[in-house]
Amino acid sequence: MRLTVDVIESARIFLNPLQEREISLRGLKIPEIENLGATRDQCDVIDLSDNDIRVLENLPQLKRLRMILLNNNQIESIQEGIEENAPHLDTLILTNNHLSDLSEIDKLHGLKKLTSLSLIDNPICVRKQYRLYTIHKLPWLKFLDFEKVKTSELDEAVKVS
């Protein structure tokens, strides 16, 4: 199913337990991100879990957006410059996707407000020094894969190149 304006306008929007406005676009077999401008930047959270999205791309200007849930998709790559359209993004959940190259983490470097990132169950997680590399590239993270980033990890990550 394509992510059309009609799909977005008929989607459930609610206040989640954190009192954030969330739109649920879960489980619709959406193949790509498109038309999110139809949300009129009225959502703090966009839930695109359980779809068939292959690339994290095509985000319109969403200054209010703080969290994107993209678990259980087919994501293999991330578009560069995502921070330009989602400057306040602080949580990105990419659990159970197909990210396999450490260079995809580099593309998140511009997300200076990102404090929580999950890449659990992606092929990238079995790469040698994956955790330290990620902390090195994103030293402002507070949580990686739902585990607190320790001071000792930050110190060790400085040595990773």
Side-chain angles (χ1 to χ4, degrees), residues 132 135-137 139 151-161:
L132 288 179
I135 294 167
H136 173 74
K137 290 295 182 176
T151 304
S152 60
E153 290 176 308
L154 279 167
D155 294 340
E156 193 173 343
V158 171
K159 302 171 190 170
V160 175
S161 57

Side-chain angles (χ1 to χ4, degrees), residues 2-13 21-23 25 33-46 48 58-63 65:
R2 288 197 55 213
L3 184 55
T4 64
V5 172
D6 288 339
V7 169
I8 292 168
E9 288 178 348
S10 66
R12 186 172 149 232
I13 298 177
R21 285 179 51 89
E22 180 172 336
I23 185 168
L25 298 164
I33 297 172
E34 58 186 339
N35 296 313
L36 286 178
T39 65
R40 292 182 223 103
D41 198 18
Q42 295 298 308
C43 298
D44 303 295
V45 180
I46 296 177
L48 285 160
N58 296 331
L59 288 180
Q61 189 71 244
L62 297 171
K63 292 182 180 179
L65 185 63

Side-chain angles (χ1 to χ4, degrees), residues 41-152:
D41 198 18
Q42 295 298 308
C43 298
D44 303 295
V45 180
I46 296 177
D47 187 351
L48 285 160
S49 302
D50 304 316
N51 283 296
D52 294 324
I53 298 166
R54 295 192 177 285
V55 181
L56 174 50
E57 64 180 350
N58 296 331
L59 288 180
Q61 189 71 244
L62 297 171
K63 292 182 180 179
R64 182 173 175 168
L65 185 63
R66 292 187 55 242
M67 180 186 303
I68 304 177
L69 305 170
L70 285 157
N71 47 300
N72 303 320
N73 274 281
Q74 311 293 322
I75 296 174
E76 300 170 338
S77 67
I78 299 168
Q79 179 182 22
E80 291 199 42
I82 188 173
E83 69 278 357
E84 294 170 18
N85 291 329
H88 300 291
L89 192 68
D90 64 27
T91 303
L92 180 57
I93 307 300
L94 290 163
T95 303
N96 195 27
N97 277 286
H98 298 293
L99 293 166
S100 60
D101 194 332
L102 288 174
S103 67
E104 296 303 320
I105 293 168
D106 298 351
K107 297 174 186 176
L108 301 174
H109 186 74
L111 292 170
K112 302 296 186 193
K113 294 189 179 186
L114 191 67
T115 57
S116 185
L117 173 65
S118 176
L119 297 167
I120 294 171
D121 290 335
N122 277 274
I124 198 171
C125 294
V126 299
R127 302 285 301 261
K128 185 177 179 182
Q129 295 195 326
Y130 145 77
R131 187 168 174 88
L132 288 179
Y133 182 86
T134 303
I135 294 167
H136 173 74
K137 290 295 182 176
L138 309 170
W140 48 84
L141 282 179
K142 303 290 183 214
F143 296 92
L144 176 58
D145 298 335
F146 301 108
E147 291 181 21
K148 189 169 176 41
V149 174
K150 300 176 185 131
T151 304
S152 60

